[in-house]
Amino acid sequence: MYELTNEEIKRQDFVDNTIFDMIRTLNPTKREIEWDIEMIGDVRDEISEWLVSRLELCPEQKFYPFINE
């Protein structure tokens, strides 16, 4: 069974953390936003749509590595 490499896991962490930081930075209030992987995943899907499908900058696996089962 295929497992993600350390580099692929680092890429996933980088993408998710960068999205979370962006959400927190864009928050116009002082209210704290808790880590929510569902919210992060929704934003990640939209970014992927643009980078992978519309702009065709890279394959999906390069943007956010995953195991295709």
Side-chain angles (χ1 to χ4, degrees):
M1 182 172 142
Y2 176 76
E3 292 184 14
L4 294 174
T5 66
N6 286 339
E7 287 302 310
E8 290 171 326
I9 292 169
K10 285 179 187 176
R11 176 64 186 178
Q12 284 185 337
D13 289 344
F14 172 77
V15 171
D16 290 340
N17 287 317
T18 300
I19 291 168
F20 184 60
D21 289 344
M22 178 191 68
I23 290 167
R24 290 176 52 199
T25 300
L26 292 172
N27 178 6
T29 71
K30 293 184 188 265
R31 192 172 132 215
E32 185 67 28
I33 296 175
E34 298 295 323
W35 179 271
D36 182 337
I37 196 62
E38 182 179 359
M39 172 183 62
I40 293 165
D42 288 347
V43 174
R44 184 179 63 233
D45 290 346
E46 288 298 318
I47 294 170
S48 179
E49 171 66 22
W50 275 94
L51 296 180
V52 174
S53 300
R54 295 185 185 198
L55 297 174
E56 299 179 349
L57 295 176
C58 65
E60 187 176 12
Q61 266 298 1
K62 187 166 184 170
F63 170 67
Y64 194 84
F66 58 91
I67 297 174
N68 196 4
E69 294 184 39

